[in-house]
Amino acid sequence: MRGALQVARSSVLQNRTANREGGFDSLLGRSRDPKRSSMALNTLVPIVFLRCVAVVLCATLALLHVAVAQDNTLSPSKPTPQTAPATPSREMLIGTGDLLQVTVYGTDFDRQVRVSDGGEISLPMLGSVKVAGLSIREGEQVLARELARGGYFNDPQVSIFDREYSTQGISVLGEVQKPGIYPLPGARTLLDAISAAGGTTAKAGTAVTVTHRSRPDHPETLPLSYGADPSERSNAQVFPGDTIVVSKAGIVYVVGDVRQPSGIVMENSKMTVLQAIAMAQGTNPTAAINGSKVIRNTPHGLQEIPIPLKKMLAAKTPDVSLQPGDILFVPSSATKSAVRRGLEAIVQTATGVAIYRR
């Protein structure tokens, strides 16, 4: 009996082993042939390996894409730096004719020299050195370099003081109280230069022409404003070597039978006939206002323009604008003058009679 059980058990074990081997063989192509199994393994392994590599690469690329997206979201893009426009130098430049005082700190080297017409100065040990056109700081660096190169000083500290500026001042001309050249070192404005010249005259206009030393062929016309808060354009910066010309305001002349014949300065280059009459304190009673006219100087000569002053005063016709240099003439009426003289004679006679009776 025991022997039959052992035989049965061994039979079951053999069946299970056969089933396992058969399942494994089915994976390898359902063949128990060793050559075919080896070929199946050689084909299966590379395919599995390549699939694993592809999965890893896809996962890596996905992670990199997410990381880049997060970095762009968290870090805002930086604006591209823009180069500031070049502006003229605000430093006073050394010019021909300037008187310079050159000093080396810690030594007895102290000289006053005049810049020659060639832009050079003559110093002991160095001889002639060109400094015209340089700023004070650049001139100090040039002299320090030359002194060190010649072996005269070890790391010299050179100081230059321009005692007399001859060419680098700001020229203020035109309708100012004291036209001239004013040495204004440092950053200055248009109103600073005009104030140094004593301010403007009563005939000054509202425009200023500034010719920058760095752009002599491109003069700039600026509005002149004296308000408490002048605009940036009307109070622009000026630099050494610039030329400022204050324009002359337009003038209208009112003559004839008016109360105060005079020349009237135009405000903002604008004035009308009625405004000019008002500035002349009106017409006299003997004026022939219908015969008023404007005498204007044109490229073709003098031109007479009739002015219907009576209709203007009655607001029946538009006012007429005047131009700088116009002459507004209001004639006298002979009849009104004769009547006026007769009335004055009558009044004088009556006054004499009254005095005689007393």
Side-chain angles (χ1 to χ4, degrees):
M1 185 69 180
R2 184 177 298 176
L5 290 173
Q6 291 179 353
V7 172
R9 184 179 297 174
S10 62
S11 177
V12 171
L13 291 175
Q14 289 177 359
N15 290 334
R16 288 181 179 177
T17 302
N19 291 334
R20 289 178 183 175
E21 292 178 355
F24 181 71
D25 292 339
S26 64
L27 291 175
L28 298 179
R30 298 185 180 273
S31 174
R32 299 182 60 88
D33 188 0
K35 292 183 179 182
R36 296 182 64 182
S37 300
S38 177
M39 292 176 61
L41 283 175
N42 293 335
T43 304
L44 181 63
V45 170
I47 293 174
V48 174
F49 177 75
L50 290 176
R51 288 183 177 179
C52 293
V53 171
V55 171
V56 172
L57 288 177
C58 292
T60 305
L61 292 175
L63 291 175
L64 288 175
H65 180 72
V66 172
V68 170
Q70 291 179 350
D71 183 68
N72 292 335
T73 303
L74 296 176
S75 301
S77 58
K78 297 181 180 180
T80 303
Q82 297 180 355
T83 305
T87 56
S89 175
R90 299 180 183 179
E91 296 187 41
M92 189 76 73
L93 302 182
I94 301 173
T96 58
D98 289 359
L99 180 62
L100 306 180
Q101 182 171 356
V102 182
T103 306
V104 178
Y105 290 115
T107 68
D108 58 353
F109 190 96
D110 190 355
R111 298 289 188 276
Q112 286 191 10
V113 291
R114 180 80 64 177
V115 182
S116 67
D117 293 339
E120 299 177 344
I121 58 174
S122 181
L123 293 173
M125 300 178 290
L126 292 182
S128 297
V129 181
K130 186 174 181 61
V131 295
L134 302 178
S135 65
I136 297 296
R137 182 179 305 176
E138 292 171 345
E140 292 173 348
Q141 294 174 354
V142 168
L143 295 182
R145 184 169 59 252
E146 294 297 327
L147 289 173
R149 181 181 301 174
Y152 306 109
F153 297 98
N154 184 20
D155 191 18
Q157 303 296 317
V158 180
S159 172
I160 296 178
F161 176 67
D162 202 332
R163 305 187 67 88
E164 293 181 7
Y165 288 101
S166 61
T167 59
Q168 295 301 309
I170 298 177
S171 300
V172 186
L173 308 173
E175 292 299 323
V176 292
Q177 300 290 345
K178 298 178 181 179
I181 300 176
Y182 295 90
L184 299 174
R188 296 292 180 174
T189 62
L190 179 61
L191 294 182
D192 291 337
I194 294 176
S195 298
T200 58
T201 64
K203 297 180 181 179
T206 57
V208 179
T209 302
V210 179
T211 303
H212 295 288
R213 176 196 50 171
S214 59
R215 302 187 301 275
D217 298 333
H218 299 84
E220 185 179 8
T221 302
L222 304 175
L224 184 60
S225 174
Y226 301 101
D229 188 18
S231 64
E232 182 178 356
R233 178 170 172 80
S234 63
N235 198 22
Q237 288 188 341
V238 292
F239 309 94
D242 290 354
T243 301
I244 299 171
V245 180
V246 180
S247 65
K248 183 178 181 179
I251 298 178
V252 171
Y253 301 92
V254 183
V255 296
D257 203 357
V258 293
R259 295 185 183 276
Q260 188 176 353
S262 59
I264 303 171
V265 177
M266 302 177 70
E267 295 269 343
N268 298 323
S269 299
K270 295 180 180 179
M271 183 170 289
T272 63
V273 170
L274 293 183
Q275 290 174 345
I277 293 294
M279 295 293 292
Q281 299 183 7
T283 59
N284 291 322
T286 57
I289 57 178
N290 283 334
S292 301
K293 57 185 174 181
V294 170
I295 302 173
R296 179 170 299 168
N297 190 5
T298 66
H300 304 288
L302 295 177
Q303 179 183 3
E304 293 186 4
I305 304 174
I307 300 296
L309 184 56
K310 185 174 183 180
K311 291 184 178 180
M312 288 182 184
L313 293 172
K316 294 181 179 180
T317 186
D319 201 356
V320 177
S321 298
L322 299 175
Q323 296 181 4
D326 282 354
I327 300 174
L328 176 59
F329 174 66
V330 180
S332 298
S333 173
T335 304
K336 289 183 178 180
S337 298
V339 172
R340 183 75 175 178
R341 286 194 296 269
L343 291 175
E344 290 177 354
I346 294 173
V347 171
Q348 290 176 358
T349 302
T351 303
V353 171
I355 295 174
Y356 177 76
R357 288 182 176 179
R358 288 183 182 178

